[in-house]
Amino acid sequence: MSNSILTLKDISKTFQTNGSGKLTILNSIDFSIAAGDLVGLTAPSGAGKSTLLHICGLLDTCDSGTIKFLGQDMQKASDFTRTLVRRCEIGFVYQFHHLLPEFSALENVVLPQLIDGKNPKQASKRATELLRLVNLENRADHRPSQLSGGEQQRVAFCRALANEPKLLLADEPTGNLDEKTSDTVFEALLYLIELSGMAALIATHNENLAKKMQRRVKLRSGKLFSD
Ligand code: ADP
């Protein structure tokens, strides 16, 4: 696929259990995601969803197989290159927001841009625009503790998108919220993704949320199945 952002080919991952036992979590998995693709990932607890997301996000390595990011082989890449790709091209969203408590919403979205070398004025402009898109422009000066769970998570989405990554990886992004809040916050995430045109892989155990995505894959017994 020529416009593929991330391609996994024949990926396997095994963990050692007590003694000489082995736990094969990913068994020869193929997966590809292109710009504009929105993919839902479902898996029973313990099936390897986080392991797969960590490998996609270059946070963990696999035992065998090939991982290509924009055509470049990440298995053969140096640690420096992997870190650079992870920092500049991949955004992460987790179940818990992990915002920095001593900084305001705006500063939390500005910070990754400054680390990436953007000038403060531009970074602040982009952060303000992102917060506006998720209806939080009037909460920009508030610290995470002054925001509700849903609002905190929307700030976390803005932070993940701040550096305009090509790929967004989300692990149960609304798993910590009640059902009603989860629905609206999830819509905000899909809206941001659609506007950006990025590729997004979103893990959720919620089948109703998974149905909102154009493509769905299921992880079962080490294999990835398309819906
Ligand atoms: P999920 O996110 O689907 O709940 P995980 O990817 O976190 O599942 O883990 C899949 C399985 O691999 C679990 O049985 C977990 O205990 C095991 N596992 C994860 N990381 C390690 C590790 N570093 N060493 C041994 N086993 C691990």
Side-chain angles (χ1 to χ4, degrees):
M1 205 185 296
S2 61
N3 64 343
S4 171
I5 300 288
L6 179 79
T7 305
L8 308 186
K9 195 133 190 58
D10 211 11
I11 295 294
S12 294
K13 179 80 177 178
T14 297
F15 290 118
Q16 204 78 35
T17 55
N18 286 342
S20 58
K22 281 186 175 166
L23 200 62
T24 299
I25 300 300
L26 305 177
N27 185 4
S28 192
I29 280 183
D30 292 330
F31 175 71
S32 188
I33 188 164
D37 274 355
L38 176 58
V39 183
L41 167 66
T42 59
S45 183
K49 170 178 59 70
S50 302
T51 304
L52 178 61
L53 285 173
H54 288 166
I55 288 174
C56 288
L58 311 178
L59 289 163
D60 197 359
T61 52
C62 52
D63 301 330
S64 58
T66 317
I67 303 174
K68 285 191 176 170
F69 196 92
L70 291 175
Q72 188 179 3
D73 192 334
M74 288 292 119
Q75 297 288 90
K76 292 183 181 150
S78 63
D79 280 349
F80 177 78
T81 301
R82 285 172 64 91
T83 303
L84 208 62
V85 170
R86 191 167 56 236
R87 207 187 71 203
C88 304
E89 309 286 14
I90 305 177
F92 295 93
V93 176
Y94 300 96
Q95 184 172 355
F96 299 98
H97 57 77
H98 301 298
L99 295 171
L100 297 171
E102 65 274 32
F103 291 103
S104 69
L106 186 86
E107 288 164 342
N108 266 282
V109 185
V110 163
L111 213 57
Q113 300 180 72
L114 298 185
I115 293 169
D116 205 35
K118 302 237 168 62
N119 90 40
K121 214 167 165 184
Q122 268 183 338
S124 180
K125 193 170 167 219
R126 170 137 180 93
T128 303
E129 172 62 6
L130 283 166
L131 291 172
R132 188 187 66 75
L133 289 171
V134 295
N135 293 322
L136 285 177
E137 66 269 46
N138 57 352
R139 311 301 298 273
D141 293 336
H142 287 189
R143 292 187 179 196
S145 62
Q146 297 170 297
L147 302 172
S148 71
E151 288 162 349
Q152 290 168 347
Q153 206 55 346
R154 280 186 275 155
V155 176
F157 299 162
C158 294
R159 179 186 54 184
L161 269 69
N163 283 330
E164 301 178 74
K166 298 215 166 39
L167 172 67
L168 181 80
L169 299 170
D171 195 353
E172 299 285 0
T174 60
N176 192 34
L177 304 172
D178 64 72
E179 200 178 335
K180 192 162 168 279
T181 310
S182 168
D183 273 359
T184 48
V185 169
F186 202 83
E187 288 297 336
L189 178 61
L190 297 188
Y191 176 62
L192 287 178
I193 291 169
E194 202 173 310
L195 276 183
S196 73
M198 60 171 32
L201 177 62
I202 303 181
T204 175
H205 67 272
N206 183 327
E207 290 290 339
N208 286 333
L209 296 183
K211 279 183 194 148
K212 292 177 191 278
M213 288 175 265
Q214 59 188 205
R215 209 177 118 202
R216 287 177 296 278
V217 290
K218 282 183 181 167
L219 187 60
R220 299 279 187 281
S221 309
K223 295 284 186 190
L224 202 58
F225 301 94
S226 284
D227 244 13

